[in-house]
Amino acid sequence: MSSYQERRQKYVTIKTREMLEDLPSYIFDFFRGIEHTTSANTRLAYAYDIRVFLNYLYTNIPGLQGLSSIKEITLQDLEKVTARDIECFLEYLSYYEKEENTPSTPLPLPKTDSEHSVHLKRPNYHQNGQTGKARKLASVKTLYHYFYKQQRISTNAPSIVDMPKIHEKPIIRLEVDEIAKLLDIVESGDQLTEKQKIYHEFTKKRDLALVALLLGTGIRVSECVGINIEDIDFNYNGVKITRKGGNETIIYFSREVEKILKDYLAERKLKPCKDIDNPLFLSLQNKRISVRSVQLLVKKYSAHVTSLKKITPHKLRSTYGTQLYQETGDIYLVADVLGHSDVNTTKRHYAQMDDARRKYAASIVKLREE
């Protein structure tokens, strides 16, 4: 694992430990029990979700409001929670306010492509859609299941609460002409503001290489920013990345992407780097570029391509996955290249294209000549 990934894991682990300090002691047993079956990022998400749940119990369940902090909530208190309490919790997640005197204000989670919780302008207000509710309920279910299996509680109320129904959204992606237009804008800087053009002179080769790599491989933005120079091998046109689960794999890119990367690397190797390793993509401060910077970069350029679609790095990933599936029809290949551990995840995202292919098949067969 690269030093960047090691530092990232250290950061996430420290944040999780900080959050556990404000939770009941038995929660540590839960995290110790799931350590070998979950990633560090997943455990951090669990810590946040469980803290929200315990804060809800502390402020809304009779009998718990007299406690001095959520650390005093016992396993016996969790046993008394009913299915109705869980359902009320889900309703509460729709829109809630963090009181100033509520103990243990949650630490911010690192932003990811799949962040579903929406934070409004006032920082103490929070809102969750169906996906955000489902994630938090899944965390609570996992917590209860662990202690129920360990026979430390005798009831498991969350197990009989249905998961919120999540409506599948259509895949937002760039069309072929939009891909070409995006790359042209990144390369030329046309349509950018005068201020943006000043920075563009210094970043255009980097930006073009970054966008081309995202579009040409379908890797996640977090995987992209973690690439070091030595991770690229032009003998095979491959790049070594670390998946979000921590596994290393090699992804291959086309000759078109190869040409753009080599052009950028000729410039990149002349720049001093302030990081202890050799990140492929540098910020203007000559440090490893951040996920947030890439998100803003893609937003800046894509705004001049389409005003109807909100294009993010994850949408560039969807664009690649869509093109690959349309060209091959091999859902297992798409799942493997995108790094989906379960092919059903890929099928859910690309099911609408199967429908389109079936409709196309129906239009081909003629019963009578017109």
Side-chain angles (χ1 to χ4, degrees):
M1 185 179 293
S2 69
S3 58
Y4 165 76
Q5 297 295 338
E6 290 170 352
R7 294 197 303 273
R8 183 66 185 167
Q9 291 294 308
K10 180 180 178 181
Y11 166 82
V12 172
T13 301
I14 290 175
K15 287 297 181 184
T16 303
R17 287 176 180 173
E18 289 176 355
M19 296 181 74
L20 286 176
E21 289 177 0
D22 294 330
L23 298 178
S25 59
Y26 55 83
I27 299 297
F28 177 79
D29 297 338
F30 165 67
F31 276 85
R32 184 176 57 191
I34 65 172
E35 182 177 0
H36 301 296
T37 57
T38 57
S39 68
N41 286 326
T42 298
R43 292 193 295 276
L44 179 59
Y46 277 163
Y48 170 74
D49 293 342
I50 291 170
R51 173 181 275 180
V52 172
F53 175 64
L54 293 179
N55 275 330
Y56 169 79
L57 297 182
Y58 173 80
T59 55
N60 293 273
I61 301 298
L64 300 182
Q65 296 171 335
L67 303 178
S68 61
S69 72
I70 63 174
K71 292 189 71 171
E72 294 188 7
I73 297 177
T74 66
L75 280 173
Q76 288 68 38
D77 293 325
L78 292 186
E79 274 188 311
K80 297 174 184 177
V81 172
T82 65
R84 183 180 182 278
D85 293 329
I86 302 295
E87 291 168 350
C88 290
F89 169 63
L90 293 178
E91 192 281 328
Y92 161 84
L93 291 173
S94 298
Y95 183 80
Y96 64 97
E97 178 182 1
K98 284 293 294 182
E99 299 291 345
E100 294 300 327
N101 59 353
T102 299
S104 329
T105 303
L107 291 167
L109 276 174
K111 297 297 182 184
T112 65
D113 295 315
S114 58
E115 182 65 63
H116 301 295
S117 183
V118 179
H119 294 267
L120 305 184
K121 290 183 179 179
R122 290 184 61 180
N124 56 336
Y125 282 93
H126 300 268
Q127 183 176 351
N128 285 271
Q130 294 296 87
T131 307
K133 291 180 181 181
R135 194 195 82 171
K136 289 176 175 58
L137 178 56
S139 299
V140 173
K141 282 177 176 281
T142 304
L143 175 70
Y144 269 77
H145 176 72
Y146 173 80
F147 288 115
Y148 186 77
K149 185 175 65 174
Q150 295 287 324
Q151 298 182 349
R152 294 177 65 178
I153 58 175
S154 58
T155 60
N156 187 357
S159 65
I160 60 175
V161 176
D162 294 331
M163 294 292 288
K165 182 176 177 59
I166 300 176
H167 300 283
E168 293 294 335
K169 297 180 180 179
I171 298 175
I172 297 177
R173 64 186 187 277
L174 293 173
E175 302 298 335
V176 175
D177 59 327
E178 292 174 329
I179 295 173
K181 186 177 179 181
L182 174 61
L183 293 173
D184 288 343
I185 291 175
V186 176
E187 188 170 23
S188 66
D190 291 344
Q191 302 182 44
L192 297 180
T193 65
E194 292 304 316
K195 185 177 180 180
Q196 287 174 335
K197 287 181 180 178
I198 295 175
Y199 291 103
H200 181 260
E201 285 299 314
F202 299 98
T203 65
K204 59 183 178 181
K205 289 188 177 181
R206 179 204 69 183
D207 295 352
L208 182 62
L210 203 157
V211 172
L213 187 62
L214 290 173
L215 280 169
T217 61
I219 60 177
R220 299 176 177 88
V221 62
S222 57
E223 297 163 351
C224 182
V225 301
I227 298 173
N228 289 339
I229 292 178
E230 61 269 20
D231 293 331
I232 297 180
D233 188 342
F234 288 110
N235 292 322
Y236 302 96
N237 276 1
V239 55
K240 182 173 67 175
I241 63 172
T242 302
R243 293 293 191 188
K244 67 177 185 179
N247 297 324
E248 289 186 347
T249 188
I250 297 176
I251 295 295
Y252 299 94
F253 49 84
S254 66
R255 291 192 177 274
E256 184 179 8
V257 175
E258 174 195 7
K259 181 178 181 300
I260 296 173
L261 280 175
K262 284 183 174 179
D263 189 36
Y264 164 64
L265 273 172
E267 175 189 271
R268 161 67 183 87
K269 290 179 179 179
L270 299 177
K271 292 186 176 183
C273 178
K274 295 181 180 179
D275 273 329
I276 60 175
D277 47 7
N278 294 305
L280 175 61
F281 296 112
L282 293 180
S283 67
L284 287 172
Q285 291 75 37
N286 290 330
K287 296 181 179 180
R288 186 184 298 274
I289 196 170
S290 67
V291 169
R292 182 59 178 162
S293 295
V294 177
Q295 291 170 341
L296 293 174
L297 181 155
V298 171
K299 180 181 179 181
K300 176 180 70 175
Y301 290 114
S302 63
H304 301 289
V305 175
T306 172
S307 59
L308 299 178
K309 304 173 185 176
K310 182 181 178 182
I311 301 301
T312 64
H314 195 72
K315 300 303 185 293
L316 301 186
R317 176 173 161 84
S318 298
T319 298
Y320 174 82
T322 300
Q323 285 190 313
L324 182 61
Y325 183 71
Q326 287 176 337
E327 291 295 327
T328 65
D330 189 341
I331 198 70
Y332 293 95
L333 174 63
V334 176
D336 181 56
V337 174
L338 292 183
H340 290 162
S341 57
D342 185 356
V343 73
N344 289 319
T345 301
T346 318
K347 287 180 179 179
R348 283 200 306 272
H349 289 307
Y350 297 94
Q352 59 176 328
M353 288 192 293
D354 285 327
D355 290 338
R357 290 162 70 90
R358 284 192 287 268
K359 289 179 181 177
Y360 172 69
S363 67
I364 295 177
V365 177
K366 302 293 182 181
L367 300 183
R368 292 185 180 180
E369 292 293 333
E370 293 183 0

